[in-house]
Amino acid sequence: MTVAPAVPDAIVAPRHPGEPLGIVAGGGDLPRLVAAQARLHGWEPRILAVGDGIGAAWLPDDAWPMAWGRLGNAFAHLKDRGVQRLVLCGTVSVRPDFRAILPSLKTLAMLPQIFRVIRGGDDNLLRAAARAFEQRGFELVAVQEILPELLMLPGAVGGALPSVADRAALRRGFEAAGVLGALDVGQAVVASKDRVIALEGIEGTREMLQRVADLRRRGRIGPTERCVLVKGVKPGQDLRFDLPSIGVATIEEAAEAGLVGIGLSAGHALVIGIDDVMAAARAKGIFLWGWTRSCAEEGSA
Amino acid sequence: MTVAPAVPDAIVAPRHPGEPLGIVAGGGDLPRLVAAQARLHGWEPRILAVGDGIGAAWLPDDAWPMAWGRLGNAFAHLKDRGVQRLVLCGTVSVRPDFRAILPSLKTLAMLPQIFRVIRGGDDNLLRAAARAFEQRGFELVAVQEILPELLMLPGAVGGALPSVADRAALRRGFEAAGVLGALDVGQAVVASKDRVIALEGIEGTREMLQRVADLRRRGRIGPTERCVLVKGVKPGQDLRFDLPSIGVATIEEAAEAGLVGIGLSAGHALVIGIDDVMAAARAKGIFLWGWTRSCAEEGSA
Protein backbone atom coordinates (compact mmCIF):
# COMPACT_ATOMS: atom_id res chain seq x y z
CA MET A 1 0.00 0.00 0.00
CA THR A 2 1.30 3.41 -0.89
CA VAL A 3 0.24 6.94 -0.07
CA ALA A 4 -2.22 8.17 -2.67
CA PRO A 5 -0.41 10.13 -5.35
CA ALA A 6 -1.25 13.82 -5.78
CA VAL A 7 -3.22 12.91 -8.88
CA PRO A 8 -3.97 9.19 -9.38
CA ASP A 9 -4.81 8.79 -13.05
CA ALA A 10 -6.68 11.88 -14.15
CA ILE A 11 -5.12 13.73 -17.02
CA VAL A 12 -6.48 17.17 -17.69
CA ALA A 13 -6.96 17.37 -21.44
CA PRO A 14 -7.90 20.39 -23.55
CA ARG A 15 -11.67 20.81 -24.00
CA HIS A 16 -11.04 21.34 -27.70
CA PRO A 17 -7.89 20.98 -29.80
CA GLY A 18 -5.80 24.09 -29.44
CA GLU A 19 -7.35 25.24 -26.15
CA PRO A 20 -4.98 27.84 -24.75
CA LEU A 21 -3.09 26.80 -21.61
CA GLY A 22 -1.61 29.62 -19.58
CA ILE A 23 1.86 28.76 -18.27
CA VAL A 24 3.25 31.09 -15.61
CA ALA A 25 6.85 30.06 -16.15
CA GLY A 26 9.64 30.58 -13.62
CA GLY A 27 13.19 29.29 -14.09
CA GLY A 28 14.54 25.77 -14.60
CA ASP A 29 13.70 23.00 -17.07
CA LEU A 30 10.17 22.31 -15.93
CA PRO A 31 8.28 25.10 -17.79
CA ARG A 32 9.89 24.17 -21.10
CA LEU A 33 8.93 20.53 -20.57
CA VAL A 34 5.39 21.47 -19.60
CA ALA A 35 5.00 23.68 -22.67
CA ALA A 36 6.33 21.01 -25.03
CA GLN A 37 4.24 18.19 -23.56
CA ALA A 38 1.12 20.31 -23.35
CA ARG A 39 1.45 21.03 -27.05
CA LEU A 40 1.74 17.29 -27.74
CA HIS A 41 -1.46 16.77 -25.77
CA GLY A 42 -3.30 19.30 -27.92
CA TRP A 43 -2.96 22.47 -25.87
CA GLU A 44 -1.79 25.80 -27.24
CA PRO A 45 0.65 27.12 -24.62
CA ARG A 46 0.48 30.82 -23.70
CA ILE A 47 3.52 31.68 -21.66
CA LEU A 48 3.99 34.38 -19.04
CA ALA A 49 7.63 34.39 -17.98
CA VAL A 50 8.20 35.48 -14.38
CA GLY A 51 11.22 35.76 -12.08
CA ASP A 52 14.04 33.44 -13.15
CA GLY A 53 12.04 32.49 -16.24
CA ILE A 54 12.38 35.92 -17.82
CA GLY A 55 14.95 35.75 -20.58
CA ALA A 56 15.14 31.94 -20.65
CA ALA A 57 16.59 30.74 -23.95
CA TRP A 58 13.76 28.35 -24.81
CA LEU A 59 10.96 30.94 -24.70
CA PRO A 60 8.91 31.29 -27.89
CA ASP A 61 8.47 34.71 -29.47
CA ASP A 62 5.03 35.26 -28.06
CA ALA A 63 6.07 34.59 -24.44
CA TRP A 64 5.24 37.59 -22.30
CA PRO A 65 7.82 38.67 -19.73
CA MET A 66 5.79 39.72 -16.70
CA ALA A 67 7.37 42.27 -14.37
CA TRP A 68 5.71 42.27 -10.95
CA GLY A 69 4.41 45.78 -11.45
CA ARG A 70 2.38 44.56 -14.43
CA LEU A 71 0.50 41.68 -12.84
CA GLY A 72 -2.75 43.57 -13.48
CA ASN A 73 -2.00 43.56 -17.20
CA ALA A 74 -1.23 39.85 -17.09
CA PHE A 75 -4.83 38.94 -16.37
CA ALA A 76 -6.05 40.96 -19.35
CA HIS A 77 -3.24 39.56 -21.50
CA LEU A 78 -4.25 35.97 -20.74
CA LYS A 79 -8.00 36.61 -21.07
CA ASP A 80 -7.47 38.31 -24.43
CA ARG A 81 -5.76 35.14 -25.57
CA GLY A 82 -8.63 32.93 -24.47
CA VAL A 83 -6.85 31.38 -21.48
CA GLN A 84 -9.15 29.85 -18.88
CA ARG A 85 -6.82 27.31 -17.31
CA LEU A 86 -3.24 27.78 -16.28
CA VAL A 87 -0.23 26.13 -14.67
CA LEU A 88 2.25 27.73 -12.24
CA CYS A 89 5.67 26.11 -12.59
CA GLY A 90 9.40 26.79 -12.37
CA THR A 91 11.46 28.63 -9.81
CA VAL A 92 11.25 32.22 -8.60
CA SER A 93 14.38 32.73 -6.53
CA VAL A 94 14.66 36.51 -6.40
CA ARG A 95 11.83 38.31 -4.72
CA PRO A 96 11.05 41.71 -6.14
CA ASP A 97 12.02 44.67 -4.07
CA PHE A 98 8.95 46.68 -3.09
CA ARG A 99 10.72 49.84 -4.12
CA ALA A 100 11.47 48.47 -7.59
CA ILE A 101 7.78 48.11 -8.38
CA LEU A 102 6.60 50.75 -10.80
CA PRO A 103 3.03 49.63 -11.18
CA SER A 104 1.09 49.99 -14.38
CA LEU A 105 -2.33 51.64 -14.16
CA LYS A 106 -4.10 48.28 -14.20
CA THR A 107 -1.92 47.06 -11.36
CA LEU A 108 -2.24 50.05 -9.08
CA ALA A 109 -5.43 48.90 -7.36
CA MET A 110 -3.91 45.47 -6.81
CA LEU A 111 -0.83 46.64 -4.97
CA PRO A 112 -1.95 45.39 -1.55
CA GLN A 113 -2.55 41.96 -3.04
CA ILE A 114 0.77 42.01 -4.88
CA PHE A 115 2.50 42.84 -1.64
CA ARG A 116 0.84 39.84 -0.03
CA VAL A 117 2.11 37.74 -2.93
CA ILE A 118 5.72 38.77 -2.68
CA ARG A 119 5.99 38.52 1.08
CA GLY A 120 6.11 35.43 3.24
CA GLY A 121 7.63 32.01 2.55
CA ASP A 122 7.57 30.33 -0.83
CA ASP A 123 4.39 28.51 -0.09
CA ASN A 124 2.66 31.74 0.96
CA LEU A 125 3.89 33.41 -2.21
CA LEU A 126 2.46 30.72 -4.44
CA ARG A 127 -0.78 30.43 -2.52
CA ALA A 128 -1.29 34.17 -2.80
CA ALA A 129 -0.44 34.19 -6.53
CA ALA A 130 -2.84 31.30 -7.11
CA ARG A 131 -5.58 33.14 -5.24
CA ALA A 132 -5.03 36.27 -7.34
CA PHE A 133 -5.53 34.25 -10.52
CA GLU A 134 -8.49 32.29 -9.19
CA GLN A 135 -10.27 35.42 -8.01
CA ARG A 136 -10.21 36.57 -11.62
CA GLY A 137 -11.85 33.42 -12.89
CA PHE A 138 -8.82 31.40 -13.95
CA GLU A 139 -8.68 27.70 -13.14
CA LEU A 140 -5.39 26.40 -11.81
CA VAL A 141 -4.15 23.07 -13.11
CA ALA A 142 -1.30 21.11 -11.52
CA VAL A 143 1.72 20.11 -13.60
CA GLN A 144 1.07 16.48 -12.73
CA GLU A 145 -2.49 16.72 -14.05
CA ILE A 146 -1.02 17.43 -17.47
CA LEU A 147 2.13 15.31 -17.09
CA PRO A 148 1.35 12.52 -14.58
CA GLU A 149 4.38 10.62 -15.91
CA LEU A 150 6.60 13.07 -14.01
CA LEU A 151 5.40 11.86 -10.59
CA MET A 152 7.96 9.96 -8.50
CA LEU A 153 7.17 6.28 -8.01
CA PRO A 154 7.50 4.47 -4.68
CA GLY A 155 10.57 2.41 -3.81
CA ALA A 156 13.84 1.93 -5.67
CA VAL A 157 13.71 3.69 -9.01
CA GLY A 158 16.72 2.97 -11.15
CA GLY A 159 19.85 1.09 -10.22
CA ALA A 160 21.28 1.17 -6.72
CA LEU A 161 19.38 0.18 -3.58
CA PRO A 162 19.56 1.95 -0.23
CA SER A 163 21.09 -0.10 2.57
CA VAL A 164 19.45 -0.45 5.97
CA ALA A 165 21.65 2.42 7.22
CA ASP A 166 20.73 4.51 4.18
CA ARG A 167 17.05 4.03 4.94
CA ALA A 168 17.71 5.26 8.47
CA ALA A 169 19.28 8.35 6.89
CA LEU A 170 16.20 8.76 4.68
CA ARG A 171 13.94 8.47 7.72
CA ARG A 172 15.94 11.13 9.59
CA GLY A 173 15.91 13.36 6.53
CA PHE A 174 12.15 13.09 5.99
CA GLU A 175 11.52 13.78 9.65
CA ALA A 176 13.55 17.00 9.39
CA ALA A 177 12.01 17.92 6.03
CA GLY A 178 8.58 17.55 7.61
CA VAL A 179 9.19 20.09 10.35
CA LEU A 180 11.04 22.35 7.93
CA GLY A 181 8.09 22.25 5.57
CA ALA A 182 5.61 22.86 8.37
CA LEU A 183 7.44 26.14 8.99
CA ASP A 184 7.16 26.93 5.26
CA VAL A 185 10.94 27.12 4.94
CA GLY A 186 12.55 24.70 2.47
CA GLN A 187 11.73 21.20 1.29
CA ALA A 188 15.25 19.78 1.16
CA VAL A 189 17.54 18.28 3.78
CA VAL A 190 20.84 16.40 3.73
CA ALA A 191 21.19 13.78 6.47
CA SER A 192 23.15 10.72 7.43
CA LYS A 193 21.78 8.02 9.70
CA ASP A 194 23.41 9.80 12.66
CA ARG A 195 22.66 13.47 12.10
CA VAL A 196 21.16 16.18 9.95
CA ILE A 197 23.90 17.88 7.91
CA ALA A 198 22.19 20.76 6.11
CA LEU A 199 18.78 22.37 5.79
CA GLU A 200 17.52 24.34 2.84
CA GLY A 201 16.62 27.96 3.52
CA ILE A 202 15.88 30.45 0.77
CA GLU A 203 19.14 29.56 -1.01
CA GLY A 204 17.60 26.53 -2.74
CA THR A 205 18.67 22.92 -3.16
CA ARG A 206 21.57 23.52 -5.53
CA GLU A 207 23.35 25.90 -3.20
CA MET A 208 22.66 23.69 -0.21
CA LEU A 209 24.34 20.80 -2.06
CA GLN A 210 27.32 23.02 -2.92
CA ARG A 211 27.61 23.74 0.79
CA VAL A 212 27.62 20.04 1.58
CA ALA A 213 30.30 19.44 -1.07
CA ASP A 214 32.37 22.14 0.58
CA LEU A 215 31.85 20.71 4.07
CA ARG A 216 33.01 17.34 2.80
CA ARG A 217 36.11 18.76 1.13
CA ARG A 218 37.06 20.38 4.42
CA GLY A 219 36.61 17.20 6.43
CA ARG A 220 33.53 18.41 8.28
CA ILE A 221 31.83 15.31 6.92
CA GLY A 222 33.94 12.19 7.18
CA PRO A 223 34.70 10.15 4.04
CA THR A 224 32.75 7.18 5.39
CA GLU A 225 29.61 9.07 6.41
CA ARG A 226 26.87 8.06 3.98
CA CYS A 227 24.59 11.01 3.35
CA VAL A 228 21.35 11.36 1.41
CA LEU A 229 19.39 14.24 -0.06
CA VAL A 230 15.73 14.27 0.88
CA LYS A 231 13.10 16.44 -0.76
CA GLY A 232 9.71 16.16 0.86
CA VAL A 233 6.35 17.70 0.18
CA LYS A 234 5.40 20.23 2.85
CA PRO A 235 2.70 19.03 5.25
CA GLY A 236 -0.58 20.44 4.00
CA GLN A 237 0.93 22.20 1.00
CA ASP A 238 -1.23 22.88 -2.01
CA LEU A 239 -0.29 20.05 -4.36
CA ARG A 240 -1.14 22.09 -7.43
CA PHE A 241 2.19 23.86 -7.42
CA ASP A 242 5.72 23.77 -6.09
CA LEU A 243 5.98 20.02 -5.68
CA PRO A 244 9.56 19.06 -4.82
CA SER A 245 11.41 18.18 -8.00
CA ILE A 246 14.73 16.88 -9.25
CA GLY A 247 16.42 16.72 -12.62
CA VAL A 248 19.73 15.55 -14.06
CA ALA A 249 21.49 18.56 -12.55
CA THR A 250 20.33 17.46 -9.09
CA ILE A 251 22.01 14.08 -9.56
CA GLU A 252 25.24 15.75 -10.59
CA GLU A 253 25.13 18.16 -7.67
CA ALA A 254 24.39 15.28 -5.29
CA ALA A 255 27.35 13.31 -6.65
CA GLU A 256 29.55 16.37 -6.26
CA ALA A 257 28.48 16.52 -2.61
CA GLY A 258 29.43 12.85 -2.16
CA LEU A 259 25.86 11.73 -1.48
CA VAL A 260 24.87 8.08 -1.85
CA GLY A 261 21.21 8.60 -2.65
CA ILE A 262 18.14 10.77 -3.03
CA GLY A 263 14.75 10.31 -1.42
CA LEU A 264 11.58 11.92 -2.76
CA SER A 265 7.97 11.77 -1.59
CA ALA A 266 6.45 9.14 -3.89
CA GLY A 267 3.46 10.52 -5.77
CA HIS A 268 4.17 14.02 -4.43
CA ALA A 269 7.38 14.94 -6.21
CA LEU A 270 8.38 15.48 -9.82
CA VAL A 271 11.26 13.87 -11.67
CA ILE A 272 12.07 16.02 -14.66
CA GLY A 273 13.36 13.78 -17.43
CA ILE A 274 13.20 10.38 -15.74
CA ASP A 275 15.30 8.51 -18.35
CA ASP A 276 18.18 10.95 -18.15
CA VAL A 277 17.86 11.17 -14.39
CA MET A 278 18.03 7.37 -14.04
CA ALA A 279 20.99 7.13 -16.40
CA ALA A 280 22.84 9.83 -14.46
CA ALA A 281 22.01 8.17 -11.14
CA ARG A 282 23.30 4.82 -12.40
CA ALA A 283 26.47 6.43 -13.74
CA LYS A 284 27.13 8.11 -10.39
CA GLY A 285 26.07 5.14 -8.24
CA ILE A 286 23.33 7.14 -6.56
CA PHE A 287 20.09 5.48 -5.52
CA LEU A 288 16.67 7.06 -6.05
CA TRP A 289 14.08 6.19 -3.46
CA GLY A 290 10.38 7.01 -3.52
CA TRP A 291 9.39 7.51 0.09
CA THR A 292 6.01 6.35 1.36
CA ARG A 293 4.85 5.48 4.83
CA SER A 294 4.75 1.82 3.87
CA CYS A 295 8.22 1.83 2.29
CA ALA A 296 9.47 3.34 5.51
CA GLU A 297 7.76 0.84 7.77
CA GLU A 298 8.48 -2.27 5.79
CA GLY A 299 12.02 -1.05 5.84
CA SER A 300 13.35 -3.32 3.11
CA ALA A 301 14.11 -2.37 -0.44
CA MET B 1 8.54 37.45 35.22
CA THR B 2 11.30 35.77 33.30
CA VAL B 3 12.20 32.17 32.60
CA ALA B 4 14.49 30.90 35.31
CA PRO B 5 18.10 31.23 34.22
CA ALA B 6 20.16 28.08 33.80
CA VAL B 7 21.87 28.90 37.10
CA PRO B 8 20.23 31.59 39.21
CA ASP B 9 22.95 32.82 41.56
CA ALA B 10 25.07 29.86 42.51
CA ILE B 11 28.73 30.21 41.75
CA VAL B 12 30.77 27.06 41.95
CA ALA B 13 33.91 27.99 43.87
CA PRO B 14 37.02 25.91 44.47
CA ARG B 15 36.86 23.84 47.67
CA HIS B 16 40.34 25.05 48.50
CA PRO B 17 42.55 27.68 46.86
CA GLY B 18 44.26 26.16 43.86
CA GLU B 19 41.79 23.30 43.39
CA PRO B 20 42.45 21.97 39.89
CA LEU B 21 39.66 22.62 37.38
CA GLY B 22 39.71 20.44 34.29
CA ILE B 23 38.87 22.39 31.12
CA VAL B 24 38.11 20.34 28.03
CA ALA B 25 38.75 23.15 25.59
CA GLY B 26 37.48 23.27 22.02
CA GLY B 27 37.91 26.25 19.68
CA GLY B 28 36.83 29.87 20.02
CA ASP B 29 37.31 32.48 22.74
CA LEU B 30 35.30 30.84 25.47
CA PRO B 31 37.87 28.35 26.83
CA ARG B 32 40.51 31.06 27.20
CA LEU B 33 38.02 33.26 29.06
CA VAL B 34 36.97 30.37 31.29
CA ALA B 35 40.58 29.54 32.13
CA ALA B 36 41.45 33.17 32.94
CA GLN B 37 38.35 33.79 35.06
CA ALA B 38 38.64 30.46 36.83
CA ARG B 39 42.16 31.38 37.86
CA LEU B 40 40.88 34.71 39.23
CA HIS B 41 38.32 32.79 41.26
CA GLY B 42 41.04 30.64 42.81
CA TRP B 43 41.03 27.59 40.55
CA GLU B 44 44.11 26.06 38.99
CA PRO B 45 43.09 25.34 35.36
CA ARG B 46 44.18 22.03 33.82
CA ILE B 47 43.53 22.15 30.13
CA LEU B 48 42.82 19.35 27.68
CA ALA B 49 42.66 20.80 24.17
CA VAL B 50 40.32 18.96 21.81
CA GLY B 51 39.13 19.47 18.24
CA ASP B 52 39.43 23.09 17.12
CA GLY B 53 41.12 23.91 20.43
CA ILE B 54 44.26 21.95 19.60
CA GLY B 55 47.01 24.37 18.64
CA ALA B 56 45.17 27.47 19.87
CA ALA B 57 47.62 30.32 20.49
CA TRP B 58 46.54 31.06 24.05
CA LEU B 59 47.20 27.58 25.41
CA PRO B 60 49.62 27.42 28.35
CA ASP B 61 52.60 25.09 28.20
CA ASP B 62 51.00 22.40 30.29
CA ALA B 63 47.85 22.15 28.14
CA TRP B 64 47.42 18.63 26.87
CA PRO B 65 46.32 18.15 23.25
CA MET B 66 43.93 15.22 23.32
CA ALA B 67 43.61 13.20 20.12
CA TRP B 68 40.42 11.14 20.07
CA GLY B 69 42.35 7.90 20.16
CA ARG B 70 43.83 8.89 23.51
CA LEU B 71 40.64 9.65 25.42
CA GLY B 72 41.49 6.76 27.73
CA ASN B 73 44.76 8.45 28.69
CA ALA B 74 42.92 11.70 29.30
CA PHE B 75 41.14 10.33 32.35
CA ALA B 76 44.40 9.20 33.90
CA HIS B 77 46.07 12.48 32.95
CA LEU B 78 43.38 14.52 34.73
CA LYS B 79 43.23 12.25 37.78
CA ASP B 80 47.02 12.36 38.14
CA ARG B 81 46.69 16.14 38.33
CA GLY B 82 44.06 16.02 41.03
CA VAL B 83 41.14 17.07 38.85
CA GLN B 84 37.72 16.18 40.22
CA ARG B 85 35.58 18.79 38.51
CA LEU B 86 35.67 19.86 34.90
CA VAL B 87 34.09 22.10 32.30
CA LEU B 88 33.40 21.27 28.65
CA CYS B 89 33.53 24.38 26.49
CA GLY B 90 34.41 25.67 23.04
CA THR B 91 33.64 24.35 19.60
CA VAL B 92 34.43 21.00 17.99
CA SER B 93 33.60 21.47 14.34
CA VAL B 94 35.49 18.60 12.70
CA ARG B 95 34.45 15.16 13.73
CA PRO B 96 37.23 12.59 13.77
CA ASP B 97 37.20 10.02 11.04
CA PHE B 98 36.80 6.54 12.51
CA ARG B 99 39.64 5.32 10.33
CA ALA B 100 41.97 8.00 11.65
CA ILE B 101 41.69 6.70 15.20
CA LEU B 102 44.82 4.87 16.28
CA PRO B 103 43.82 4.11 19.83
CA SER B 104 46.28 3.97 22.65
CA LEU B 105 46.25 0.89 24.85
CA LYS B 106 44.23 2.62 27.55
CA THR B 107 41.65 3.67 24.98
CA LEU B 108 41.22 0.34 23.24
CA ALA B 109 38.53 -0.98 25.57
CA MET B 110 36.66 2.30 25.26
CA LEU B 111 36.33 2.26 21.49
CA PRO B 112 32.61 1.50 21.42
CA GLN B 113 31.99 4.42 23.75
CA ILE B 114 34.24 6.71 21.71
CA PHE B 115 32.31 5.78 18.62
CA ARG B 116 29.09 6.72 20.38
CA VAL B 117 30.69 10.04 21.29
CA ILE B 118 31.75 10.97 17.80
CA ARG B 119 28.53 9.97 16.11
CA GLY B 120 25.17 11.71 16.20
CA GLY B 121 24.30 15.38 16.43
CA ASP B 122 26.26 17.87 18.48
CA ASP B 123 24.07 17.42 21.46
CA ASN B 124 24.50 13.64 21.33
CA LEU B 125 28.24 14.08 21.06
CA LEU B 126 28.45 16.26 24.13
CA ARG B 127 26.03 14.16 26.14
CA ALA B 128 28.09 11.07 25.37
CA ALA B 129 31.36 12.79 26.21
CA ALA B 130 29.90 14.05 29.47
CA ARG B 131 28.72 10.56 30.33
CA ALA B 132 32.17 9.13 29.66
CA PHE B 133 33.71 11.58 32.13
CA GLU B 134 30.99 11.14 34.74
CA GLN B 135 31.25 7.37 34.65
CA ARG B 136 34.86 7.78 35.68
CA GLY B 137 33.98 9.88 38.70
CA PHE B 138 34.45 13.37 37.32
CA GLU B 139 31.90 16.04 38.18
CA LEU B 140 30.81 18.27 35.31
CA VAL B 141 30.44 21.98 36.01
CA ALA B 142 28.67 24.40 33.66
CA VAL B 143 30.51 27.45 32.36
CA GLN B 144 27.79 29.66 33.81
CA GLU B 145 28.31 28.12 37.26
CA ILE B 146 31.82 29.54 37.20
CA LEU B 147 31.06 32.66 35.16
CA PRO B 148 27.38 33.57 35.74
CA GLU B 149 28.12 37.07 34.44
CA LEU B 150 28.24 35.59 30.92
CA LEU B 151 24.52 34.71 30.92
CA MET B 152 22.33 36.74 28.59
CA LEU B 153 19.88 39.08 30.34
CA PRO B 154 16.19 39.36 29.41
CA GLY B 155 14.91 42.11 27.15
CA ALA B 156 16.89 44.91 25.56
CA VAL B 157 20.63 44.76 26.24
CA GLY B 158 22.62 47.71 25.03
CA GLY B 159 21.68 50.39 22.57
CA ALA B 160 19.19 49.80 19.77
CA LEU B 161 15.66 48.49 20.38
CA PRO B 162 13.74 46.02 18.22
CA SER B 163 10.66 47.43 16.50
CA VAL B 164 7.29 45.66 16.60
CA ALA B 165 8.15 44.08 13.23
CA ASP B 166 11.57 43.04 14.51
CA ARG B 167 9.95 41.29 17.45
CA ALA B 168 7.76 39.41 15.00
CA ALA B 169 10.97 38.33 13.24
CA LEU B 170 12.41 37.23 16.59
CA ARG B 171 9.24 35.23 17.30
CA ARG B 172 9.46 33.50 13.91
CA GLY B 173 13.16 32.82 14.44
CA PHE B 174 12.69 31.31 17.89
CA GLU B 175 9.85 29.14 16.64
CA ALA B 176 12.13 27.75 13.91
CA ALA B 177 15.09 27.42 16.29
CA GLY B 178 12.88 25.41 18.62
CA VAL B 179 12.01 22.76 16.05
CA LEU B 180 15.57 22.79 14.72
CA GLY B 181 16.89 22.19 18.21
CA ALA B 182 14.34 19.46 18.90
CA LEU B 183 15.88 17.60 15.95
CA ASP B 184 19.35 18.16 17.47
CA VAL B 185 20.49 20.05 14.38
CA GLY B 186 21.65 23.65 14.93
CA GLN B 187 20.68 26.38 17.36
CA ALA B 188 20.77 29.34 14.97
CA VAL B 189 18.29 30.76 12.48
CA VAL B 190 18.03 33.93 10.42
CA ALA B 191 14.49 35.19 9.90
CA SER B 192 12.52 38.27 8.94
CA LYS B 193 8.96 38.86 10.08
CA ASP B 194 7.74 37.24 6.87
CA ARG B 195 9.94 34.20 6.41
CA VAL B 196 12.81 32.06 7.61
CA ILE B 197 15.92 32.85 5.57
CA ALA B 198 18.56 30.36 6.73
CA LEU B 199 18.94 27.48 9.15
CA GLU B 200 22.16 26.33 10.74
CA GLY B 201 23.25 22.80 9.93
CA ILE B 202 26.67 21.44 10.81
CA GLU B 203 28.38 24.44 9.17
CA GLY B 204 27.96 26.63 12.26
CA THR B 205 26.68 30.16 12.82
CA ARG B 206 29.57 32.00 11.18
CA GLU B 207 29.21 30.23 7.86
CA MET B 208 25.42 30.55 7.96
CA LEU B 209 25.84 34.32 8.35
CA GLN B 210 28.30 34.40 5.45
CA ARG B 211 25.64 32.67 3.38
CA VAL B 212 23.07 35.30 4.35
CA ALA B 213 25.53 38.07 3.43
CA ASP B 214 25.96 36.42 0.05
CA LEU B 215 22.19 36.07 -0.46
CA ARG B 216 21.77 39.74 0.30
CA ARG B 217 24.54 40.79 -2.10
CA ARG B 218 22.80 38.83 -4.84
CA GLY B 219 19.41 40.41 -4.20
CA ARG B 220 17.84 37.22 -2.81
CA ILE B 221 17.05 39.26 0.28
CA GLY B 222 15.67 42.70 -0.49
CA PRO B 223 17.42 45.78 0.91
CA THR B 224 14.36 46.65 3.04
CA GLU B 225 13.85 43.19 4.55
CA ARG B 226 14.81 43.46 8.22
CA CYS B 227 16.38 40.20 9.36
CA VAL B 228 17.51 38.96 12.75
CA LEU B 229 19.81 36.23 13.98
CA VAL B 230 18.28 34.01 16.63
CA LYS B 231 20.22 31.55 18.76
CA GLY B 232 18.04 29.46 20.98
CA VAL B 233 18.71 26.80 23.54
CA LYS B 234 17.57 23.37 22.32
CA PRO B 235 14.40 22.10 24.01
CA GLY B 236 15.49 19.77 26.78
CA GLN B 237 19.20 20.23 26.14
CA ASP B 238 21.64 19.66 28.99
CA LEU B 239 22.34 23.20 30.18
CA ARG B 240 25.78 22.24 31.47
CA PHE B 241 27.37 22.55 28.05
CA ASP B 242 26.92 23.93 24.57
CA LEU B 243 24.71 26.87 25.50
CA PRO B 244 24.23 29.14 22.49
CA SER B 245 26.82 31.90 22.57
CA ILE B 246 27.88 35.06 20.79
CA GLY B 247 30.97 37.24 20.85
CA VAL B 248 32.25 40.35 19.10
CA ALA B 249 32.88 38.34 15.94
CA THR B 250 29.19 37.40 15.85
CA ILE B 251 28.19 41.07 15.84
CA GLU B 252 30.57 41.77 12.97
CA GLU B 253 29.34 38.78 10.99
CA ALA B 254 25.72 39.81 11.63
CA ALA B 255 26.46 43.35 10.42
CA GLU B 256 28.16 41.92 7.34
CA ALA B 257 24.94 39.99 6.65
CA GLY B 258 22.91 43.18 6.96
CA LEU B 259 21.03 42.01 10.05
CA VAL B 260 19.27 44.48 12.33
CA GLY B 261 19.45 42.51 15.54
CA ILE B 262 20.27 39.37 17.49
CA GLY B 263 17.99 37.44 19.81
CA LEU B 264 19.29 35.02 22.45
CA SER B 265 17.50 32.87 25.03
CA ALA B 266 17.75 34.98 28.18
CA GLY B 267 19.41 33.05 30.99
CA HIS B 268 20.23 30.21 28.62
CA ALA B 269 22.85 31.75 26.36
CA LEU B 270 26.34 33.12 26.84
CA VAL B 271 27.66 36.51 25.78
CA ILE B 272 31.42 36.28 25.58
CA GLY B 273 32.86 39.68 26.49
CA ILE B 274 29.69 41.68 27.11
CA ASP B 275 31.35 45.13 27.09
CA ASP B 276 33.02 44.61 23.74
CA VAL B 277 29.90 42.95 22.35
CA MET B 278 27.72 45.90 23.41
CA ALA B 279 30.17 48.41 21.99
CA ALA B 280 30.30 46.55 18.69
CA ALA B 281 26.51 46.26 18.57
CA ARG B 282 26.12 49.99 19.20
CA ALA B 283 28.69 50.80 16.54
CA LYS B 284 26.88 48.63 13.99
CA GLY B 285 23.36 49.67 15.03
CA ILE B 286 22.43 46.09 15.92
CA PHE B 287 20.04 45.40 18.78
CA LEU B 288 20.58 42.62 21.32
CA TRP B 289 17.45 41.05 22.72
CA GLY B 290 17.16 38.49 25.51
CA TRP B 291 14.19 36.33 24.64
CA THR B 292 11.83 35.07 27.33
CA ARG B 293 8.25 34.02 27.18
CA SER B 294 7.24 37.20 28.97
CA CYS B 295 9.32 39.48 26.74
CA ALA B 296 7.61 37.84 23.79
CA GLU B 297 4.10 38.23 25.17
CA GLU B 298 4.43 41.72 26.55
CA GLY B 299 5.79 42.50 23.14
CA SER B 300 7.15 45.93 24.00
CA ALA B 301 10.74 46.82 24.56
Side-chain angles (χ1 to χ4, degrees), chain B residues 104-211:
Chain B
S104 69
L105 224 63
K106 280 205 171 117
T107 304
L108 214 50
M110 293 182 52
L111 272 186
Q113 188 167 24
I114 293 177
F115 284 174
R116 274 197 302 280
V117 171
I118 64 183
R119 270 153 51 170
D122 281 346
D123 205 38
N124 283 338
L125 184 147
L126 290 165
R127 259 200 305 271
R131 208 175 308 122
F133 281 106
E134 285 179 324
Q135 283 173 352
R136 281 155 190 87
F138 294 99
E139 184 190 336
L140 282 183
V141 180
V143 167
Q144 65 271 26
E145 289 178 301
I146 298 175
L147 304 174
E149 64 270 28
L150 297 189
L151 283 173
M152 181 66 181
L153 297 172
V157 173
L161 298 179
S163 68
V164 172
D166 295 339
R167 291 199 301 277
L170 289 167
R171 196 171 302 119
R172 183 181 291 278
F174 274 100
E175 182 196 26
V179 301
L180 199 64
L183 292 167
D184 192 19
V185 185
Q187 299 171 317
V189 167
V190 172
S192 70
K193 74 179 175 30
D194 295 316
R195 56 178 179 158
V196 174
I197 302 283
L199 299 146
E200 179 187 32
I202 68 165
E203 76 278 15
T205 304
R206 188 171 53 82
E207 292 183 20
M208 182 189 65
L209 290 177
Q210 289 169 349
R211 183 158 87 243

Side-chain angles (χ1 to χ4, degrees), chain A residues 95 195 202 207 218 220, chain B residues 195 202 207 218 220:
Chain A
R95 271 151 203 271
R195 56 179 179 158
I202 68 164
E207 292 183 19
R218 289 151 54 204
R220 300 281 298 268
Chain B
R195 56 178 179 158
I202 68 165
E207 292 183 20
R218 289 151 53 205
R220 299 282 298 269

Side-chain angles (χ1 to χ4, degrees), chain B residues 211-258:
Chain B
R211 183 158 87 243
V212 173
D214 182 52
L215 289 165
R216 196 179 282 278
R217 267 192 297 274
R218 289 151 53 205
R220 299 282 298 269
I221 304 170
T224 59
E225 189 168 1
R226 294 173 66 84
C227 301
V228 301
L229 167 66
V230 157
K231 295 193 80 167
V233 74
K234 296 178 184 175
Q237 90 165 57
D238 191 326
L239 298 172
R240 290 174 305 168
F241 34 75
D242 197 31
L243 288 192
S245 68
I246 64 164
V248 170
T250 318
I251 304 290
E252 281 157 11
E253 290 150 12
E256 200 62 35

